[in-house]
Amino acid sequence: MALVHWLQLALTEGIGPILANRLIEATGSVENAAAAFPKQLAHVEGIGTKKSETIHRGLREAAAAAETELKKAAALGVSISCIEDEAYPLLLRSIPDPPLVLYVRGKLEPRDLNAFAIVGSRKCSYYGREQAERFGALLAGAGITIISGGARGTDSAAHRGALSHPQGRTIAVLGSGVDKVYPPENAGLFEQIAMRGAVVSEFPLGTPPLAENFPRRNRIISGMSRGVLVTEAAERSGALITARQAGEDQGRPVFALPGRVDNPLAAGPLQLLRDGALLAGHLDDILPNLGPLPDEAHEQGLFETFAENSAAAVEPAERAAVSIEHLSDQERLILERLGADSLSVDQLLEITGFEASV
């Protein structure tokens, strides 16, 4: 069973995706790689004589761990997919360092090939949250699976936007094991995502959300996607790491949401726009500019499905009018004074002339 051998390599300390593929190439198969002797390991670039004994010992320990991991996953209702499996995402398989295995709560489907990532700040503004949710809903309505990282702020808004559409699908990629809910307040959201998509990770069950896991997580978010939208991000942000991995390492189009120039969270998107990212203000800015499908998708008959669904995602020219029939005169005036930007209570008092008690 090839899966257990892929899992064994993934669980071996000191072996990452690139080194694992070198080992498989040197030994001829994943089964041979999992059973490699120190002499064989010593000839693999990146291992050598000094590390061969340590890697050999790690492989032996990981053999038992892989069997245990499969049993734990089955008990939790988690599936594990290796890179050879049909269910493994085609787009992810094509990146320079695809994960050897993916843990999945929920289900990955062929239509998830039409996937798009929405990422941004955990401490997003109201505008950033609103736009992440808006694009999540619009793209979901066009048959696109929304991918994000399950974090607070932008990620959660994008997932909720996708779930707001009756046929919407979304995938959360975690920087922890799929059995570790982080942030804890998203437990209910992750349950919904697992029902209408998938919660996935390359990290073994029980892995806590360590800071060093998230850059690795980010390459999966972009790797599974035909494009990446950054809504809001500071100049140094994980969202920008995802965008750069998408554009520079994986050849995927990067989109950025314009924001106020005096908003620190607009600095990241503005930087991306200066570097050649595509401006995203409307659905039509994204759909025609998605990255191509791999040749294998055409061979399997998996084609772009969003076109036939795009009528459901047509963006209204204006926001739907808010019903004001039930409002008092004072409430109507406050609503009229509120424009697209947020206002403080003091500003509202000044422009309405009302007392604070009102």
PDB file of all heavy atoms in Angstrom, residues 148-172:
ATOM      1  N   SER A 148      -8.812  29.512   1.899  1.00  0.00           N
ATOM      2  CA  SER A 148      -8.153  30.454   2.799  1.00  0.00           C
ATOM      3  C   SER A 148      -7.580  29.666   3.971  1.00  0.00           C
ATOM      4  O   SER A 148      -7.605  28.427   3.954  1.00  0.00           O
ATOM      5  CB  SER A 148      -9.125  31.545   3.258  1.00  0.00           C
ATOM      6  OG  SER A 148      -8.409  32.657   3.762  1.00  0.00           O
ATOM      7  N   GLY A 149      -7.079  30.387   4.977  1.00  0.00           N
ATOM      8  CA  GLY A 149      -6.325  29.727   6.028  1.00  0.00           C
ATOM      9  C   GLY A 149      -7.042  29.480   7.331  1.00  0.00           C
ATOM     10  O   GLY A 149      -6.415  29.055   8.299  1.00  0.00           O
ATOM     11  N   GLY A 150      -8.357  29.759   7.382  1.00  0.00           N
ATOM     12  CA  GLY A 150      -9.113  29.471   8.597  1.00  0.00           C
ATOM     13  C   GLY A 150      -8.812  30.363   9.781  1.00  0.00           C
ATOM     14  O   GLY A 150      -9.292  30.113  10.879  1.00  0.00           O
ATOM     15  N   ALA A 151      -8.028  31.421   9.580  1.00  0.00           N
ATOM     16  CA  ALA A 151      -7.622  32.289  10.690  1.00  0.00           C
ATOM     17  C   ALA A 151      -8.698  33.327  10.984  1.00  0.00           C
ATOM     18  O   ALA A 151      -9.706  33.439  10.280  1.00  0.00           O
ATOM     19  CB  ALA A 151      -6.302  32.982  10.356  1.00  0.00           C
ATOM     20  N   ARG A 152      -8.453  34.115  12.038  1.00  0.00           N
ATOM     21  CA  ARG A 152      -9.364  35.211  12.361  1.00  0.00           C
ATOM     22  C   ARG A 152      -9.338  36.242  11.232  1.00  0.00           C
ATOM     23  O   ARG A 152      -8.435  36.284  10.407  1.00  0.00           O
ATOM     24  CB  ARG A 152      -8.932  35.885  13.654  1.00  0.00           C
ATOM     25  CG  ARG A 152      -9.005  35.009  14.884  1.00  0.00           C
ATOM     26  CD  ARG A 152      -8.614  35.775  16.133  1.00  0.00           C
ATOM     27  NE  ARG A 152      -8.730  34.953  17.331  1.00  0.00           N
ATOM     28  CZ  ARG A 152      -7.720  34.325  17.911  1.00  0.00           C
ATOM     29  NH1 ARG A 152      -6.505  34.445  17.409  1.00  0.00           N
ATOM     30  NH2 ARG A 152      -7.918  33.586  18.995  1.00  0.00           N
ATOM     31  N   GLY A 153     -10.322  37.122  11.222  1.00  0.00           N
ATOM     32  CA  GLY A 153     -10.311  38.248  10.298  1.00  0.00           C
ATOM     33  C   GLY A 153     -10.637  37.877   8.869  1.00  0.00           C
ATOM     34  O   GLY A 153     -11.687  37.278   8.588  1.00  0.00           O
ATOM     35  N   THR A 154      -9.736  38.192   7.951  1.00  0.00           N
ATOM     36  CA  THR A 154      -9.980  38.031   6.520  1.00  0.00           C
ATOM     37  C   THR A 154     -10.336  36.599   6.155  1.00  0.00           C
ATOM     38  O   THR A 154     -11.297  36.360   5.417  1.00  0.00           O
ATOM     39  CB  THR A 154      -8.739  38.465   5.724  1.00  0.00           C
ATOM     40  OG1 THR A 154      -8.455  39.833   6.003  1.00  0.00           O
ATOM     41  CG2 THR A 154      -8.964  38.290   4.233  1.00  0.00           C
ATOM     42  N   ASP A 155      -9.545  35.635   6.652  1.00  0.00           N
ATOM     43  CA  ASP A 155      -9.777  34.235   6.286  1.00  0.00           C
ATOM     44  C   ASP A 155     -11.193  33.797   6.647  1.00  0.00           C
ATOM     45  O   ASP A 155     -11.912  33.218   5.822  1.00  0.00           O
ATOM     46  CB  ASP A 155      -8.780  33.318   7.003  1.00  0.00           C
ATOM     47  CG  ASP A 155      -7.350  33.505   6.529  1.00  0.00           C
ATOM     48  OD1 ASP A 155      -7.093  34.431   5.743  1.00  0.00           O
ATOM     49  OD2 ASP A 155      -6.483  32.717   6.951  1.00  0.00           O
ATOM     50  N   SER A 156     -11.590  34.067   7.883  1.00  0.00           N
ATOM     51  CA  SER A 156     -12.925  33.655   8.329  1.00  0.00           C
ATOM     52  C   SER A 156     -14.008  34.324   7.498  1.00  0.00           C
ATOM     53  O   SER A 156     -15.024  33.697   7.152  1.00  0.00           O
ATOM     54  CB  SER A 156     -13.117  34.009   9.810  1.00  0.00           C
ATOM     55  OG  SER A 156     -12.219  33.279  10.625  1.00  0.00           O
ATOM     56  N   ALA A 157     -13.808  35.602   7.154  1.00  0.00           N
ATOM     57  CA  ALA A 157     -14.797  36.318   6.335  1.00  0.00           C
ATOM     58  C   ALA A 157     -14.911  35.691   4.951  1.00  0.00           C
ATOM     59  O   ALA A 157     -16.018  35.543   4.408  1.00  0.00           O
ATOM     60  CB  ALA A 157     -14.407  37.789   6.218  1.00  0.00           C
ATOM     61  N   ALA A 158     -13.789  35.312   4.352  1.00  0.00           N
ATOM     62  CA  ALA A 158     -13.814  34.689   3.022  1.00  0.00           C
ATOM     63  C   ALA A 158     -14.550  33.352   3.065  1.00  0.00           C
ATOM     64  O   ALA A 158     -15.369  33.050   2.175  1.00  0.00           O
ATOM     65  CB  ALA A 158     -12.386  34.491   2.515  1.00  0.00           C
ATOM     66  N   HIS A 159     -14.266  32.548   4.089  1.00  0.00           N
ATOM     67  CA  HIS A 159     -14.967  31.258   4.227  1.00  0.00           C
ATOM     68  C   HIS A 159     -16.469  31.481   4.397  1.00  0.00           C
ATOM     69  O   HIS A 159     -17.286  30.804   3.758  1.00  0.00           O
ATOM     70  CB  HIS A 159     -14.430  30.485   5.436  1.00  0.00           C
ATOM     71  CG  HIS A 159     -13.023  29.999   5.295  1.00  0.00           C
ATOM     72  ND1 HIS A 159     -12.595  29.237   4.232  1.00  0.00           N
ATOM     73  CD2 HIS A 159     -11.938  30.158   6.112  1.00  0.00           C
ATOM     74  CE1 HIS A 159     -11.312  28.938   4.392  1.00  0.00           C
ATOM     75  NE2 HIS A 159     -10.892  29.496   5.515  1.00  0.00           N
ATOM     76  N   ARG A 160     -16.834  32.446   5.246  1.00  0.00           N
ATOM     77  CA  ARG A 160     -18.262  32.693   5.488  1.00  0.00           C
ATOM     78  C   ARG A 160     -18.946  33.219   4.224  1.00  0.00           C
ATOM     79  O   ARG A 160     -20.109  32.892   3.957  1.00  0.00           O
ATOM     80  CB  ARG A 160     -18.435  33.677   6.642  1.00  0.00           C
ATOM     81  CG  ARG A 160     -18.082  33.083   7.998  1.00  0.00           C
ATOM     82  CD  ARG A 160     -18.561  33.963   9.144  1.00  0.00           C
ATOM     83  NE  ARG A 160     -18.291  33.322  10.427  1.00  0.00           N
ATOM     84  CZ  ARG A 160     -17.234  33.560  11.183  1.00  0.00           C
ATOM     85  NH1 ARG A 160     -16.338  34.467  10.802  1.00  0.00           N
ATOM     86  NH2 ARG A 160     -17.052  32.923  12.324  1.00  0.00           N
ATOM     87  N   GLY A 161     -18.242  34.034   3.473  1.00  0.00           N
ATOM     88  CA  GLY A 161     -18.810  34.522   2.218  1.00  0.00           C
ATOM     89  C   GLY A 161     -19.132  33.377   1.276  1.00  0.00           C
ATOM     90  O   GLY A 161     -20.213  33.332   0.677  1.00  0.00           O
ATOM     91  N   ALA A 162     -18.215  32.433   1.150  1.00  0.00           N
ATOM     92  CA  ALA A 162     -18.448  31.277   0.279  1.00  0.00           C
ATOM     93  C   ALA A 162     -19.625  30.451   0.777  1.00  0.00           C
ATOM     94  O   ALA A 162     -20.468  29.995  -0.011  1.00  0.00           O
ATOM     95  CB  ALA A 162     -17.192  30.416   0.208  1.00  0.00           C
ATOM     96  N   LEU A 163     -19.710  30.268   2.093  1.00  0.00           N
ATOM     97  CA  LEU A 163     -20.792  29.461   2.665  1.00  0.00           C
ATOM     98  C   LEU A 163     -22.141  30.157   2.581  1.00  0.00           C
ATOM     99  O   LEU A 163     -23.190  29.508   2.701  1.00  0.00           O
ATOM    100  CB  LEU A 163     -20.477  29.128   4.128  1.00  0.00           C
ATOM    101  CG  LEU A 163     -19.281  28.195   4.355  1.00  0.00           C
ATOM    102  CD1 LEU A 163     -18.938  28.128   5.841  1.00  0.00           C
ATOM    103  CD2 LEU A 163     -19.568  26.801   3.815  1.00  0.00           C
ATOM    104  N   SER A 164     -22.132  31.482   2.370  1.00  0.00           N
ATOM    105  CA  SER A 164     -23.404  32.211   2.272  1.00  0.00           C
ATOM    106  C   SER A 164     -24.132  31.895   0.974  1.00  0.00           C
ATOM    107  O   SER A 164     -25.337  32.126   0.864  1.00  0.00           O
ATOM    108  CB  SER A 164     -23.160  33.719   2.365  1.00  0.00           C
ATOM    109  OG  SER A 164     -22.517  34.218   1.192  1.00  0.00           O
ATOM    110  N   HIS A 165     -23.420  31.369  -0.023  1.00  0.00           N
ATOM    111  CA  HIS A 165     -24.073  30.975  -1.276  1.00  0.00           C
ATOM    112  C   HIS A 165     -24.573  29.542  -1.140  1.00  0.00           C
ATOM    113  O   HIS A 165     -23.863  28.682  -0.612  1.00  0.00           O
ATOM    114  CB  HIS A 165     -23.088  31.078  -2.445  1.00  0.00           C
ATOM    115  CG  HIS A 165     -23.745  30.950  -3.773  1.00  0.00           C
ATOM    116  ND1 HIS A 165     -24.096  29.726  -4.324  1.00  0.00           N
ATOM    117  CD2 HIS A 165     -24.153  31.886  -4.668  1.00  0.00           C
ATOM    118  CE1 HIS A 165     -24.674  29.915  -5.497  1.00  0.00           C
ATOM    119  NE2 HIS A 165     -24.714  31.217  -5.731  1.00  0.00           N
ATOM    120  N   PRO A 166     -25.787  29.235  -1.598  1.00  0.00           N
ATOM    121  CA  PRO A 166     -26.346  27.889  -1.399  1.00  0.00           C
ATOM    122  C   PRO A 166     -25.469  26.760  -1.931  1.00  0.00           C
ATOM    123  O   PRO A 166     -25.423  25.686  -1.344  1.00  0.00           O
ATOM    124  CB  PRO A 166     -27.688  27.955  -2.165  1.00  0.00           C
ATOM    125  CG  PRO A 166     -28.036  29.400  -2.195  1.00  0.00           C
ATOM    126  CD  PRO A 166     -26.739  30.142  -2.246  1.00  0.00           C
ATOM    127  N   GLN A 167     -24.762  26.998  -3.048  1.00  0.00           N
ATOM    128  CA  GLN A 167     -23.899  25.965  -3.617  1.00  0.00           C
ATOM    129  C   GLN A 167     -22.416  26.234  -3.354  1.00  0.00           C
ATOM    130  O   GLN A 167     -21.547  25.601  -3.953  1.00  0.00           O
ATOM    131  CB  GLN A 167     -24.110  25.850  -5.138  1.00  0.00           C
ATOM    132  CG  GLN A 167     -25.351  25.067  -5.541  1.00  0.00           C
ATOM    133  CD  GLN A 167     -26.617  25.910  -5.401  1.00  0.00           C
ATOM    134  OE1 GLN A 167     -26.665  27.052  -5.851  1.00  0.00           O
ATOM    135  NE2 GLN A 167     -27.630  25.343  -4.777  1.00  0.00           N
ATOM    136  N   GLY A 168     -22.128  27.164  -2.479  1.00  0.00           N
ATOM    137  CA  GLY A 168     -20.746  27.557  -2.254  1.00  0.00           C
ATOM    138  C   GLY A 168     -19.922  26.476  -1.571  1.00  0.00           C
ATOM    139  O   GLY A 168     -20.403  25.765  -0.697  1.00  0.00           O
ATOM    140  N   ARG A 169     -18.662  26.371  -2.001  1.00  0.00           N
ATOM    141  CA  ARG A 169     -17.707  25.454  -1.378  1.00  0.00           C
ATOM    142  C   ARG A 169     -16.489  26.237  -0.915  1.00  0.00           C
ATOM    143  O   ARG A 169     -16.106  27.224  -1.542  1.00  0.00           O
ATOM    144  CB  ARG A 169     -17.244  24.361  -2.369  1.00  0.00           C
ATOM    145  CG  ARG A 169     -18.203  23.199  -2.488  1.00  0.00           C
ATOM    146  CD  ARG A 169     -17.680  22.149  -3.440  1.00  0.00           C
ATOM    147  NE  ARG A 169     -16.421  21.536  -3.014  1.00  0.00           N
ATOM    148  CZ  ARG A 169     -16.311  20.583  -2.089  1.00  0.00           C
ATOM    149  NH1 ARG A 169     -17.395  20.124  -1.483  1.00  0.00           N
ATOM    150  NH2 ARG A 169     -15.138  20.080  -1.767  1.00  0.00           N
ATOM    151  N   THR A 170     -15.884  25.763   0.160  1.00  0.00           N
ATOM    152  CA  THR A 170     -14.688  26.434   0.660  1.00  0.00           C
ATOM    153  C   THR A 170     -13.772  25.425   1.334  1.00  0.00           C
ATOM    154  O   THR A 170     -14.225  24.395   1.847  1.00  0.00           O
ATOM    155  CB  THR A 170     -15.053  27.584   1.620  1.00  0.00           C
ATOM    156  OG1 THR A 170     -13.873  28.297   1.980  1.00  0.00           O
ATOM    157  CG2 THR A 170     -15.747  27.086   2.870  1.00  0.00           C
ATOM    158  N   ILE A 171     -12.475  25.708   1.296  1.00  0.00           N
ATOM    159  CA  ILE A 171     -11.457  24.842   1.882  1.00  0.00           C
ATOM    160  C   ILE A 171     -10.596  25.678   2.812  1.00  0.00           C
ATOM    161  O   ILE A 171     -10.098  26.739   2.425  1.00  0.00           O
ATOM    162  CB  ILE A 171     -10.582  24.194   0.794  1.00  0.00           C
ATOM    163  CG1 ILE A 171     -11.423  23.256  -0.085  1.00  0.00           C
ATOM    164  CG2 ILE A 171      -9.402  23.433   1.411  1.00  0.00           C
ATOM    165  CD1 ILE A 171     -10.703  22.750  -1.314  1.00  0.00           C
ATOM    166  N   ALA A 172     -10.420  25.201   4.040  1.00  0.00           N
ATOM    167  CA  ALA A 172      -9.541  25.861   5.010  1.00  0.00           C
ATOM    168  C   ALA A 172      -8.254  25.051   5.128  1.00  0.00           C
ATOM    169  O   ALA A 172      -8.295  23.848   5.386  1.00  0.00           O
ATOM    170  CB  ALA A 172     -10.230  25.964   6.372  1.00  0.00           C
TER     171      ALA A 172
END
